[in-house]
Amino acid sequence: GVGSVLGGFASKSDRRLKKNIEYVFDSPSGIPVYNFEYIDDQIGSGVYQGVMSDEIPQKAVVKLKNGYDAVDYSMLDVEFKQI
């Protein structure tokens, strides 16, 4: 599922896959952090905390073959987690 982080990558960090997006705070480096749910429960169910791929340094964004974005959280001062 989405919660699986492989080598620091969160597999689904694209805004288009999320709903109920709620701003929580800015990281120490100024990156907005959000709580959100995934539109498709097969990706992940429950509430997650992380970033929107369109609001972070592009060096940390990986374009997936399916057209969506993944994020290399090891390059950010934000933790991706289920809450």
Side-chain angles (χ1 to χ4, degrees):
V2 152
S4 60
V5 177
L6 304 170
F9 287 84
S11 56
K12 304 287 189 223
S13 293
D14 198 300
R15 181 185 300 271
R16 296 171 290 169
L17 299 171
K18 301 172 182 178
K19 65 181 181 180
N20 300 326
I21 299 168
E22 180 181 309
Y23 169 81
V24 185
F25 61 89
D26 283 347
S27 74
S29 70
I31 297 170
V33 177
Y34 299 89
N35 291 344
F36 58 88
E37 297 174 78
Y38 287 98
I39 295 168
D40 184 348
D41 283 344
Q42 291 184 347
I43 296 174
S45 61
V47 179
Y48 293 84
Q49 188 172 87
V51 301
M52 299 296 141
S53 60
D54 60 329
E55 295 184 348
I56 63 169
Q58 290 304 292
K59 67 182 181 191
V61 176
V62 177
K63 298 288 184 186
L64 301 175
K65 290 180 182 178
N66 63 8
Y68 292 108
D69 294 339
V71 171
D72 182 350
Y73 275 87
S74 71
M75 299 181 76
L76 304 177
D77 62 347
V78 176
E79 179 186 0
F80 174 77
K81 59 186 176 182
Q82 187 170 9
I83 57 172

